[in-house]
Structure formats: structure tokens, C-alpha cells
Amino acid sequence: MMRERIQLFLLASCAWISIAITLAIAVALLQETVSFFREVSAAQFLLDTEWTPLFWEKHYGIWPLVCGTVITTVISLVVAIPVGTTIALFLAEWSPRSLRQIIKPILEILSGIPTIVFGYFSVTIATPLLRIIFPSLPGFNALSAGVVMGIMMVPLMATLVEDALSVVPQSFREASYALGASRLTTMLRVTLPAAAGGVVAACILALSRALGETMIVTIAAGQQPRFSLNPLQAVETLTAFIAQVVMGDTPYGSIEHRAVFVVGCLLFLGTFTLNVGSMWIRERFSSTR
Amino acid sequence: MGQALKKEGVHEIVSVADLNLWYGSHQALRSISLSAMTGEVLALIGPSGCGKSSFLRTLNRMNDLIPIVRVEGRVIVMGQDIYHDGVELAELRRRVGLVFQRSNPFPKSIYDNIAYGPRIHGERRRSELDGIVEQSLRRADLWEEVKDRLSASALGLSGGQQQRLCIARALAVRPTILLMDEPASALDPRSTAKIEELIGMLRGEYTIVIVTHNMQQAARVSDRTAFFCDGSLIETGVTSELFTNPRNAQTQDYITGRFG
């Protein structure tokens, strides 16, 4: 009895510690956010179109950072979702086992590459290649960072979608073939829709990953907050701003430093909403089954 | 065409000669020669693993899905050697429907389940699809039960209803032959009775080949019965004769319950 109680206590405290840490982070973020808004009005934060906390003339309009994050995220998803899903479909429905045994390890290697390498790759290889299509592309730009971020997320997307496809019962495919459907028709009309919940959840996870990705955009996107959605110029994302300030020599407790927490708070809210959303979607899809 | 054939009376719509089938190195069917007549119900009986399902699935080439399968012999379905190169698989499987042992409706609405087949074969017109859906569900004796909830998920139906839905789905592409692989073995007695009744209603209009390991079922629903054992065809005959007066000792042992 005693032993069981101790075990239960240990397990419960582990669970509580993780909850406590999450709460502590949320409280710290909120505290700094509140003191930030004592000095900067919410109106300026939401209506100003410039973000220049590190300059002499300070502006605290959040939209340029949001724009930077939106552009790079959208570009990365445009790359990762179709490519990742296609690879997953190929692996799960089409490829012979021998080919699968070659492709899977390659994907795993790709997902093991440190993001700093992807960032470097974006500046030294992706940008010069993209210049073939867009000759006026600056050295640091949202397009290249987004594309490379998308390539980085392909293995994640492929793995998650393949998992979703692999739980689709074989009997659905057989029923479709027995009605005279081809492999492609079966894949697009039966297997993929049956896995829709998992595919949507995978997309949301990729989105959340893209929002939080820091290293690639810090290195390759240019660190220039800009109120524009043009992907062919330098931008700064929410995460890149945090990295810039925290690694710089901004004094602790200053308003610039507090700005980091506000941005962090915003990111936290974003990913929190996405996670709740993905949970909701998964539940909805599973209840219609 | 079906009408003309029926008038001729006995006509072999399926004719299999010297069929051998291997899964890798294991031979599952040995030199099977068996025919099905237009409009009849042919039952395939035999102990588990005797090859009756393998035989059934050669008739619409569903065995093709298993990479290690090898088939030798002549399988003529509606005048065409279906293991010949240039065979249009989609058209073959449209004309030779298959109902599986476990009901397997798609996770779609009742309507979309039935309309799936016609849609993949190119039918787009809503009014036409509506007609096919109603007609197929009526034929499968399910229309009255589901007509008010066609857009509800097919997975909300009971097991017996799901199996009748699968039959309706197979009928929706207007097949000539219907293959049934133990269609009632996963159902309760009442749903089973319903499926058997349905087979009785479909008899004549479709040629039905049904695998069953329930001998009473074979006796109730079929015109002729073929007894398989260990991959070989032991005996074929008119159902009533085969069950009352089997010629082969092995058949005798099986139908009297001495093995199997």
C-alpha cells in the first residue's frame, strides 16, 4: 500500500510540475506584457504600422512582425503540405516495399538536419537559385526563408500524413477496387478523405511548427520589419525579433526587452489556439466516423 | 443482352477451365473447372482454407491486389478471357460485383456510398444519381429504412443494414454477376435471414456466386452447389441432389458434419 502511494505521488508530482512550469511561463509572459502596455498604448500596438523598438525613434506597431510571420509561414506551408502529402500518398499507397525502404531513411535524415544548417542553406544556395526566377531578389528575403522552412517541414508532414493513411482500413480500398476504381481514384476519393482528420491535424501541426520556427528566419529572412506582404523583400518574423533582442545587448527591464515578452505572448496565444483547434478538429472528425 | 441469354435457358456466363492458383509457392487452387449459368445462384462450400474464396476472387481479378499471386488457366466471363492482356479491369469489376464478408461501407453518407460506383464510372448528373441510389437501395430492400436519412453517415447503420448497403452499392454500377464472400457470416440470425431473402429476390436477375460455410444457407439459397476441399473441386451438382445424395464420400462426410 505504502509503496503504491509513493509511486502515485511521484507520478502525480511529475504531471503537476509540467503544469506548474507552463503556468509559470504564462504568468511571466503576462506580467511583462502588462508592464509593457503601461508604457505603450494598445492603440499604438495595434494601429501603428512600424516596429522600431531598437531605434532612436521608437514605434511599437506589431503588424510588420505579424506580416513577416504570415508570409514566411504561408510560403512554407505551400511547399510542405502538397509535397509532404504527395510523398505520404506515394509511400503508403503506391511504392513497392523496396523503394519505401530507401525513401523513409532519407526523410528521417532530412528531419535530423539542424535548423541552423537549413538557415545557412537558404542564404547560400536557395536564394541564388531563386534569383534565376526573380533576378532582383535581395540576399535576405522572405521567399527563400519560407521555401527552405517548407523543405524542412516536408518530413514532418509526410510522416504524419502517412500515419493517418496507414490507419485507414484495407477494406475501404478493397471495396473501391471491387467497384472498378483505379488506384488513383481510390487514393483520392476514398483513402485520403477517410484520413482527412489526420491530414488536417498534420497541417495544423506544421502551421504551428512554422509559426515557432526561429533559426531559419533569423538568419535568412533579413530582420527588417516591414508592413507588407511582398515575399521578395527582407522581413522580420515575431520569432526572429525575439532572437535578435535576446542575443543583442538590450538592457534587462528596458521597454525594448519587455517588447520581447509581448511578442512571446502573442506567439504563445497563436500556437495555443492552433493546438486547441487541431484537437477540436480531430474530435469532430472522429465523431463522424 | 441479359434478357436474350435468359431465354436460351442454360448458358454458361462464367466458365473456368483448369484453373491453378498459387500464393508464392503455396498452391491454393488445383485444376478447377467450374461453370456458372446465367441467372442461377451457385454456392461454393467447403472447409476453411479450401480455396473457395480464392476461386471467387479470380472471377473479378481481385486477387491481382496480392502481389505474390500467380494464376494459370482459362477464366471466361461473359465470353471474355479475363486473364488475357488487354482486359479492361474497371469494366470487368463493374460487371462482376463483389460483396465482402465483413460489411465495409465507406466513411461517407449513405447516398455517397451508393453513388460512389456510378460516379467513378463517369455519371455526374444529379437526377440520374438520385434515381440510381433509390433503385439500388430498393433492390437491396433498404430504401424504406433509410430514405429519410440518405445524408447520414453509413457507419451509423446496424451491421445487417451496412451489409445490405454494401449489396446496394455493388448493384449501383449495374453488374451482371454478383460475387458474395460469406456475406452473412458476421451477422446475427435475423440479419442473415434478411440477406438470404434478398438473395432470393435477386436470383434470376443477376447471376450470383456465393461462398458460404453455412451448409443450411447454401441449401436454402442456391440452385447448384460446388464443394471444394484442399484447393480441389470435389463435386458439383444441383443443390438438392448434392445435399441429399452426394456422389463423393468426402462430400458426404462434409455435409453430414464429420469434418470441416
Side-chain angles (χ1 to χ4, degrees), chain A residues 271-282:
Chain A
T271 42
F272 180 76
T273 316
L274 285 177
N275 288 349
V276 172
S278 94
M279 251 158 29
W280 182 76
I281 285 169
R282 233 172 301 171

Side-chain angles (χ1 to χ4, degrees), chain B residues 114-154:
Chain B
I114 309 294
Y116 180 82
R119 278 180 177 146
I120 62 170
H121 290 287
E123 185 55 70
R124 293 262 176 283
R125 288 163 298 171
R126 183 76 193 192
S127 60
E128 192 69 18
L129 287 171
D130 286 348
I132 294 173
V133 169
E134 177 172 347
Q135 193 192 16
S136 308
L137 285 169
R138 278 190 193 283
R139 289 210 170 151
D141 203 15
L142 191 60
W143 174 253
E144 291 302 324
E145 290 161 65
V146 301
K147 64 180 178 190
D148 299 322
R149 47 173 173 147
L150 291 177
S151 57
S153 170

